[in-house]
Amino acid sequence: MQQQQQPAAKELHSNQLAMQVVRRLSKRLQKRQQAESGATAADLIQMVRREAVACAGRDPVDAVSQNACRRVLKILREEAVHSLGASAQLLSSLQNNLFSERPIDYSQVKADSLRDAVSAAIKELSLELETSLDDLRSHGAAHIGENEVVLTLGYSHSVARVLQTAAATRKFQVIVCDSGPNFSGSRMLQLLKTVPQIDASLITDAHAFAVMSRVHRCLLSAQTVFADGGLRAECGTHGLLLAAKRHSVPVLVCTPAHKLAPAYHSVERANVYLNPACLLEENLSFAEVHCPKYDLVPPGLVTLFVTNLGGLAPAHLHRCLAEQYHQDDYSIDAGEADGDAGVLDD
């Protein structure tokens, strides 16, 4: 069921949002460990799972906050398993490979015993998130060649950084689709015009198919990347990717790893609907007009996902997800939102 909501007045970059969630969770975990001497790892895991549900309730399309919670959950589970000994580590490995259904009893581990290990692991996670954009732009720049023509859509902070990094060592052309109705492509054009090595031009979304035959590659971003290679991306992305497929143009999606969600593409995924007044010159009281902010792009249209971890083919997304999240946290039940649901607002 699609849900309607107004976009936030000011949006953080995805790595900033993820770092914010991780910092707040770290503080909450420390308070819980200090305040309750009898707390166990199971209590901490349940608390963070409730936070993930609360994040989904506040913004259904915000996968970054939920994924940040999942990263913290994996840290808690791994450190708890480590403290239980070799037999528990073997069982955890078997669980992740779907060979065992016997659950690990996290209630046997005292929360206080995990304090130092969890704190150190969360610091490493924070550093990874802080440097994710720098790593992403270095990996992405390697895919742009001399004198190539690159097509992009609207404004994306990560795509802009990749293009700027590539322009430091080579000259190329960038065609920017204006991405109506918000026309963020104009902002991208103004930014790229300040880079001498980039020959940037702006076209309307409708002209994307006409210029695709002279494009070497498409470089886009995504709001969320699903496990099967589908996307939740800026409106207009689906049509652009269909044009690229028709002309056999490779499509690269620049996305930090914390945007990879352990869920599958569906047209029923949550979306954001903007005020249709931006599309209409007059009020049409007899018509119901929908103005979605995002396209829900089906899998099979992206050639390569460029992340801070390197390039990932769509078929390898499952492996990356398994490395980032624990399988028990792929799905988080909304019924867990009772209790500490609002602690991130502290």
Side-chain angles (χ1 to χ4, degrees), residues 5 12 54 61 82 113 134 245 257 260 267 321 329 332:
Q5 67 178 58
L12 297 172
V61 302
H82 181 74
S113 66
D134 292 332
K245 182 178 180 180
L260 304 183
V267 294
L321 288 168
D329 301 314
I332 298 179

Side-chain angles (χ1 to χ4, degrees), residues 14-15 128-144 156-166 219-222 252-260 304-312:
S14 62
N15 62 326
E128 176 190 328
L129 294 172
E130 185 178 354
T131 60
S132 60
L133 189 55
D134 292 332
D135 295 335
L136 171 61
R137 68 177 183 175
S138 62
H139 290 303
H143 293 278
I144 301 176
S156 164
H157 183 67
S158 57
V159 171
R161 295 288 292 273
V162 168
L163 294 173
Q164 289 173 319
T165 302
L219 192 65
L220 307 172
S221 64
L252 278 61
V253 173
C254 297
T255 176
H258 52 260
K259 287 188 177 182
L260 304 183
L304 187 71
F305 292 96
V306 182
T307 74
N308 53 299
L309 305 177
L312 289 175

